[in-house]
Amino acid sequence: LASSQFGPRLLRTFMRDTANQVVLGTFIATFLYCLLVLRTIRGLDEREFVPHLSVTVGVLLGVASLGVLIYFIHHVSVSIQASYIVKTVSQDLCGAIDRLFPDEIGYGQNDFKNADLDTTIPSPSEALGQRVDSKHSGYVQAINNDRLLEIASEHDLVINVLLRPGNFVVVGAEIASIVPSDRCSPELINSVSETFVIGRERTSSQDVEFAVSQLVEVAFRALSPGINDPFTAVSCIDWLTVGLCQLAGRELPSERRFDSDGQLRVIANSVSFAGVANITFNQIRDAGRATPLISIRLLEAIAATAERTQRSEDIQTLRTHSQLIWESAQELSVVGSDRVKLERVFNDATRILNEKSLATL
């Protein structure tokens, strides 16, 4: 029942939880230990043998199992609550942002402010670029950035990464392009291919959008007619706001990555603030448009994020979503105190966006 409300994320959290692993391990260890002790007990032959010490240890393990069972019931009752699940996913989101922003694939263009860089991007066409195809079908879970930069520097290449963690790839599809192609060997192509970790499902290790999508999924399910739990959706919005504020204050990495000598080595698409904001607001706005509380909390999230935003393009993204939320509420003809509060929050968000927009000029 809990999994149907919060999605498959709950099952992954259950199996990854250390307390659950300890409890299940205690049960299994006690069971196996008692089986082994039982095998040593003999009473039908001439020599009866009862390992009293081992039996005593088995009894103690049985009592310990009863204790961890009581703890397990309490822990599970807490871990299936919406606030616990949302907080766990939010920690994954914040951890992914800490790891990935700023990106650590070599050096960005801003790291060479006083140097003349050759920022010309070579053409990845078939005539110039060597294709690197995927060996498996699945989701790109991670890319070994350090190894990729090492290969490019060692062989004096420019590698154009066509995918980023979270994208789905079919076996045989192009995942990267190497320039120039005349320096490529089968071993080199295989080394580049091995820097891509492809699996059956997405992970949040290098995929910020995946953690965002999981929080959005919980909010979307909570707003469905079958569940109708707007307060869980509000909790998701609150923790999404934490991630957006954290991302808004980070330096987004350049697509062009250089080695220590200032040579262009890797071209890779990175996650943008606009992309994360679109995932955050679009689905929740559509699902919660009939609930003024959701629209109000979304506008409050925009206002809180705007205060920490430093880039003009990010401010414009927030302004667009603020206007969409307001227009959606207008279509439903929100009246009474909800309309008053909604209008006040919208005006506050607009004022903050205007102030930040002027500050970035």
Side-chain angles (χ1 to χ4, degrees):
L1 291 176
S3 178
S4 64
Q5 179 176 354
F6 302 119
R9 169 70 192 182
L10 177 63
L11 298 179
R12 291 193 293 270
T13 302
F14 177 84
M15 296 306 300
R16 194 177 61 178
D17 189 272
T18 303
N20 293 335
Q21 294 173 355
V22 171
V23 171
L24 295 177
T26 302
F27 288 159
I28 295 173
T30 301
F31 179 74
L32 290 178
Y33 179 84
C34 291
L35 285 180
L36 294 175
V37 171
L38 183 63
R39 181 65 181 83
T40 63
I41 298 177
R42 298 187 299 272
L44 298 179
D45 52 7
E46 296 179 356
R47 297 179 56 189
E48 294 184 356
F49 175 73
V50 178
H52 297 285
L53 180 60
S54 299
V55 171
T56 302
V57 173
V59 172
L60 294 177
L61 287 175
V63 174
S65 298
L66 180 61
V68 297
L69 176 61
I70 297 173
Y71 169 75
F72 178 74
I73 295 173
H74 168 74
H75 181 71
V76 168
S77 65
V78 172
S79 62
I80 64 175
Q81 294 179 17
S83 58
Y84 183 91
I85 298 172
V86 172
K87 177 64 182 301
T88 301
V89 180
S90 175
Q91 290 174 341
D92 291 342
L93 171 59
C94 294
I97 294 175
D98 286 335
R99 289 191 301 270
L100 301 178
F101 298 97
D103 200 346
E104 296 181 352
I105 307 179
Y107 299 88
Q109 187 169 346
N110 293 333
D111 296 321
F112 297 93
K113 295 180 180 180
N114 299 324
D116 294 330
L117 297 180
D118 181 11
T119 59
T120 303
I121 300 180
S123 172
S125 62
E126 289 290 338
L128 298 176
Q130 172 63 50
R131 284 174 55 106
V132 178
D133 297 333
S134 173
K135 298 180 180 180
H136 309 281
S137 295
Y139 292 97
V140 179
Q141 296 178 335
I143 301 176
N144 190 337
N145 302 322
D146 295 334
R147 178 57 180 161
L148 198 64
L149 184 66
E150 179 184 345
I151 294 173
S153 299
E154 180 180 351
H155 299 277
D156 193 19
L157 303 169
V158 176
I159 301 177
N160 186 13
V161 180
L162 304 179
L163 300 173
R164 67 169 182 251
N167 293 145
F168 187 84
V169 62
V170 180
V171 60
E174 186 178 8
I175 59 178
S177 177
I178 304 175
V179 180
S181 59
D182 55 4
R183 299 177 188 171
C184 298
S185 63
E187 293 77 13
L188 176 63
I189 297 174
N190 183 66
S191 298
V192 173
S193 177
E194 289 179 348
T195 62
F196 291 78
V197 179
I198 299 176
R200 293 177 297 177
E201 59 185 15
R202 298 173 67 178
T203 64
S204 59
S205 60
Q206 291 186 4
D207 187 3
V208 172
E209 293 181 350
F210 176 58
V212 175
S213 298
Q214 289 186 107
L215 285 172
V216 172
E217 179 188 359
V218 175
F220 193 83
R221 287 173 178 266
L223 293 172
S224 63
I227 299 177
N228 193 22
D229 181 13
F231 295 103
T232 296
V234 167
S235 179
C236 293
I237 296 172
D238 291 341
W239 285 108
L240 282 167
T241 305
V242 174
L244 284 175
C245 290
Q246 186 177 1
L247 184 60
R250 298 298 177 92
E251 178 184 356
L252 298 183
S254 170
E255 293 182 354
R256 308 176 187 183
R257 311 306 299 175
F258 302 84
D259 59 16
S260 58
D261 297 326
Q263 296 295 320
L264 178 63
R265 293 306 180 193
V266 177
I267 305 170
N269 293 326
S270 60
V271 176
S272 65
F273 179 86
V276 175
N278 291 338
I279 296 174
T280 300
F281 293 113
N282 285 341
Q283 294 189 49
I284 299 179
R285 183 188 69 245
D286 292 337
R289 59 189 308 174
T291 307
L293 174 63
I294 300 301
S295 299
I296 292 172
R297 190 53 63 95
L298 287 175
L299 289 172
E300 290 176 345
I302 290 176
T305 306
E307 292 181 347
R308 293 165 175 80
T309 303
Q310 305 297 329
R311 294 176 289 269
S312 58
E313 59 272 20
D314 297 347
I315 295 174
Q316 184 57 42
T317 298
L318 295 176
R319 190 189 304 277
T320 300
H321 284 289
S322 176
Q323 190 64 35
L324 288 173
I325 295 170
W326 174 251
E327 292 175 356
S328 177
Q330 294 289 93
E331 293 176 0
L332 294 176
S333 300
V334 179
V335 297
S337 59
D338 289 334
R339 180 179 179 83
V340 173
K341 186 173 183 179
L342 183 64
E343 186 173 0
R344 177 178 59 80
V345 175
F346 173 73
N347 291 333
D348 290 342
T350 302
R351 175 182 55 79
I352 296 174
L353 289 170
N354 291 335
E355 293 175 355
K356 297 297 293 188
S357 181
L358 291 174
T360 56
L361 292 178

